Amino acid sequence: MHRVRMPFYVLALAFLLLGSAWLWRVDGQTAQPGATVFEGARLITGDGSAPIENSAFMVVGNTFTQVGRRGTLNVPPGTAHVDLTGKTVMPALVDLHGHFGFQNVVEGTMSKAFYTRENLIDHLERLAYSGVGAAVGVGDLEDRSDLHGGRTHWGDVPLRVRQEVIPNAAIFRTAGTGIAWPGSGPQGDPSRVDVPYAVSTVEEARKAVQDYVLMKPEFIKIWVDDRGGTKKTLTPPLYRAIADEAHKHNVPVGVHNVTLANAKELMRAGVEGWLHVPVRGAEAVDDELIGIVKQRIARNDRPNIWMTPALITAWMDTQGGTRPAWLDDPLLRDLYSRDMIEEHWGRPLAKRTPQEVATARRDFELQASNAMKLRAAGMRIVSGTDTGQTRFWIGYFNHLDLESMVGMGMTPAEAIVAATRDSAKIARVNAGVVATGKSADFIVLDANPLEKIGNSRRISQVYLRGQKVDRDALKAKWQAEQSRKAK
C-alpha cells in the first residue's frame, strides 16, 4: 500500500483554518455556555457616570463581559436574551458594618446563643433578597485568645462561611471579634459584651492584635466609647498601640468612637475607618480635625480614610409623630412580621412628642453636618447599617441607609456610589460596579432611584454572581416561620 503524502502547504492551510475557527468562537461569535444579554433597562453602573438609557450588558457565568447601549454589543447567535424595557438596573449594595448572626429575626431578640451557621446564612439570605451582594460582619463570634493562655472555643463559623459561595445569599466577610476595654464593647444584649478581646494594658493590646491578625480580618474593629460616662474605655496609649501593631501586619483599623478629642487622636494614629460619624454626642467637627484629615491625605499617610455614618435610626427618629410610608412597605413586610414592625418602630414613632421630634432633627442635622464636612475634607462615605441588633432590620436598613445619606445632603447618585463601588473597594470584593470583569451582582428595579432614592426598594429581581435570587422561595420560607410562631 502506498502512503499518500500531503503537501506541506495543504497541512499549513488546514491548521490555519482550524485556528481561525477556534479564534472565531472565542471571539464571541458563537454562543458561550451560560451567556445572557440583559437589554432595554436604564442602567446605573455605580461609578457615578450618567445612566445608560436603553442599555445592554452581557453576563457569562458569574461575570459581566460587555456593557453598553442596546444594539452595540457583540452578541453571538444563540445567546439568551432578557428584556428589561421599562426597568432600572443598579449594582447590588455592599454593607461594611453589620452584626450578623446574633439576631433571632422571628422572635425579635438577639443573643450570642443564636450565633450558628444556619442563622448567619439566614441573615445573608435576607440581605440577598434586599439586593445586598456582600457584607462585612463586625464583632463576629470567633475563637480567639483569652489573653491568659487559653482560648474562648467559640468555633470558626464566620471564617468558614466567608470561604463559601452560598446560593441566594450575600457574600460574607468578617472583621473579627473586635477589641475593647473590658465591658465597653458591643452592647444591645449582655451576652455579647465579652465577644471582643478585653484589653486594659498596652501589652494586652499588642497581644490581642497579634492573635487577631491570624483571622485575616478585613479590618480590626475597636470601641472607644465610655457609654455616656457609665464605663471605662480604651485610652489613647491603648488605641495607639493597637493601630501601630495592626499596621505592622498591614491590617487597617476601624473604630467606633464618639468624642472630638478621641477622633483627633485616632486620626493622628493612622486609623483608617470609622463605624459611625467620627464626632457625635452634640459635638461639632472643628478646623483642627479637618486639617488633620487633609494633612494625612496630602502626605499620602494612609490616605484612604472612610466612614459608615450609620445615621439610619437618627434619620428615622426625625419622622416621629407620624406614620412614615416605609412602615407599610411590601419589602419590609416580606422580611419582618407586622407585629414586630409595629412593636419596634410603628408605635414608638407615633408616640413621639413634638419636642422629641425637634431634638431628633437637631441631632441628625448636627451629625449630618459633621459627616459632610469630613467628606469635603477627603474622607470617603461608604455604607454600613449596624444591623443585626434588635430594632435594626437586616436588609431593609440598607435602603434606609441610602435615604439617610440623601437626607444628609448627598445626591441619590452619590449615595448609590457610596453604597456600591466605594463600599466594595473597602470590603475588597470584586463587585459594586456594572463593568466588564466585575461580579454580576445587580438589582432590577421597577422605578428610578435617581429620581427618588426610595425607589431602590421597588425591587423586581436580584441577581448575584450571575444567578437570579429565588426571592419567592425565600419569602415563602420566612412566611412559614412566622406562621409557626403565630400558632
Side-chain angles (χ1 to χ4, degrees):
M1 182 180 290
H2 296 285
R3 291 184 180 179
V4 178
R5 294 182 179 273
M6 186 175 291
F8 176 77
Y9 71 87
V10 175
L11 285 171
L13 180 60
F15 279 114
L16 179 62
L17 289 173
L18 287 171
S20 297
W22 179 80
L23 289 171
W24 182 65
R25 286 194 296 272
V26 301
D27 193 41
Q29 298 304 310
T30 59
Q32 296 172 272
T36 304
V37 171
F38 298 83
E39 52 194 359
R42 173 186 301 105
L43 176 60
I44 302 168
T45 61
D47 63 1
S49 61
I52 302 174
E53 302 293 341
N54 197 17
S55 71
F57 54 92
M58 182 182 288
V59 174
V60 178
N62 60 6
T63 306
F64 295 115
T65 59
Q66 297 183 64
V67 179
R69 288 183 60 82
R70 191 175 200 167
T72 65
L73 304 191
N74 185 14
V75 181
T79 299
H81 287 247
V82 175
D83 187 1
L84 297 179
T85 301
K87 305 291 187 182
T88 297
V89 168
M90 63 176 279
L93 304 170
V94 177
D95 192 333
L96 290 170
H97 179 194
H99 303 288
F100 310 112
F102 294 97
Q103 186 182 110
N104 183 322
V105 172
V106 176
E107 297 297 331
T109 58
M110 70 177 303
S111 168
K112 194 161 60 179
F114 297 137
Y115 202 102
T116 63
R117 171 185 168 80
E118 292 72 24
N119 200 42
L120 177 57
I121 291 175
D122 176 77
H123 293 183
L124 299 177
E125 290 173 339
R126 291 174 190 273
L127 290 169
Y129 187 90
S130 307
V132 181
V136 178
V138 176
D140 296 330
L141 195 65
E142 300 164 8
D143 180 48
R144 62 165 176 81
S145 167
D146 64 7
L147 302 181
H148 301 290
R151 308 292 301 179
T152 60
H153 304 295
W154 287 332
D156 62 351
V157 166
L159 304 183
R160 286 187 286 114
V161 171
R162 74 175 176 185
Q163 301 295 329
E164 300 180 53
V165 177
I166 301 168
N168 297 320
I171 290 292
F172 180 73
R173 297 289 183 265
T174 180
T177 62
I179 303 175
W181 184 276
S184 73
Q187 305 296 299
D189 183 85
S191 70
R192 294 174 62 226
V193 172
D194 68 349
V195 170
Y197 295 88
V199 305
S200 55
T201 69
V202 168
E203 181 184 12
E204 287 177 337
R206 292 190 180 275
K207 281 184 177 180
V209 173
Q210 290 160 10
D211 188 65
Y212 201 144
V213 298
L214 299 178
M215 300 178 195
K216 298 182 179 178
E218 297 306 312
F219 51 85
I220 284 175
K221 164 69 182 286
I222 63 175
W223 283 264
V224 183
D225 186 351
D226 66 5
R227 306 296 178 179
T230 63
K231 298 180 183 294
K232 291 184 177 181
T233 190
L234 295 178
T235 60
L238 293 177
Y239 58 67
R240 288 191 199 110
I242 291 168
D244 178 64
E245 196 68 32
H247 294 154
K248 288 179 183 177
H249 296 274
N250 200 30
V251 178
V253 177
V255 61
H256 160 132
N257 91 282
V258 176
T259 70
L260 176 63
N262 276 323
K264 291 176 182 178
E265 291 304 312
L266 289 158
M267 190 67 69
R268 291 188 180 104
V271 168
E272 291 90 342
W274 270 261
L275 304 171
H276 296 291
V277 180
V279 180
R280 298 181 281 160
E283 288 192 283
V285 165
D286 65 9
D287 291 341
E288 183 181 12
L289 179 58
I290 289 172
I292 298 170
V293 173
K294 290 182 175 180
Q295 288 166 14
R296 264 186 61 178
I297 294 171
R299 295 196 308 264
N300 200 32
D301 177 15
R302 301 187 180 277
N304 187 19
I305 311 170
W306 51 271
M307 74 173 99
T308 65
L311 287 180
I312 306 159
T313 58
W315 174 80
M316 294 164 76
D317 284 341
T318 66
Q319 297 165 68
T322 67
R323 183 171 182 82
W326 39 262
L327 284 170
D328 300 301
D329 190 334
L331 175 60
L332 178 57
R333 296 295 175 89
D334 291 347
L335 295 163
Y336 285 82
S337 71
R338 182 184 299 270
D339 289 345
M340 201 171 297
I341 294 167
E342 295 306 316
E343 177 187 351
H344 290 160
W345 282 99
R347 290 190 290 273
L349 281 179
K351 292 177 180 177
R352 284 189 173 269
T353 66
Q355 293 77 15
E356 289 172 330
V357 173
T359 298
R361 286 177 179 162
R362 285 195 298 271
D363 177 61
F364 175 76
E365 288 168 2
L366 178 56
Q367 290 199 63
S369 173
N370 287 341
M372 294 299 282
K373 286 177 181 178
L374 290 168
R375 179 175 181 261
M379 286 189 77
R380 181 172 292 174
I381 287 179
V382 289
S383 181
T385 57
D386 203 15
T387 46
Q389 306 186 74
T390 305
R391 298 180 73 237
F392 287 41
W393 293 324
I394 297 166
Y396 195 77
F397 260 33
N398 294 88
H399 296 276
L400 295 189
D401 193 32
L402 292 172
E403 294 245 22
S404 69
M405 288 183 189
V406 172
M408 287 163 48
M410 299 172 69
T411 67
E414 290 170 338
I416 290 170
V417 170
T420 56
R421 183 195 69 183
D422 291 352
S423 292
K425 286 181 179 178
I426 303 300
R428 295 185 295 178
V429 293
N430 185 37
V433 184
V434 179
T436 300
K438 295 289 186 180
S439 180
D441 301 349
F442 60 96
I443 315 171
V444 181
L445 301 170
D446 289 329
N448 183 2
L450 297 177
E451 294 178 352
K452 179 184 177 183
I453 194 61
N455 288 337
S456 72
R457 307 195 299 267
R458 296 184 60 183
I459 299 173
S460 172
Q461 304 166 45
V462 177
Y463 285 80
L464 299 182
R465 285 92 60 189
Q467 298 298 309
K468 186 176 179 180
V469 173
D470 192 346
R471 299 176 80 239
D472 290 339
L474 292 175
K475 180 179 176 180
K477 180 180 75 169
W478 298 327
Q479 287 178 337
E481 290 172 350
Q482 291 175 9
S483 295
R484 284 195 295 270
K485 182 199 173 189
K487 291 178 182 178

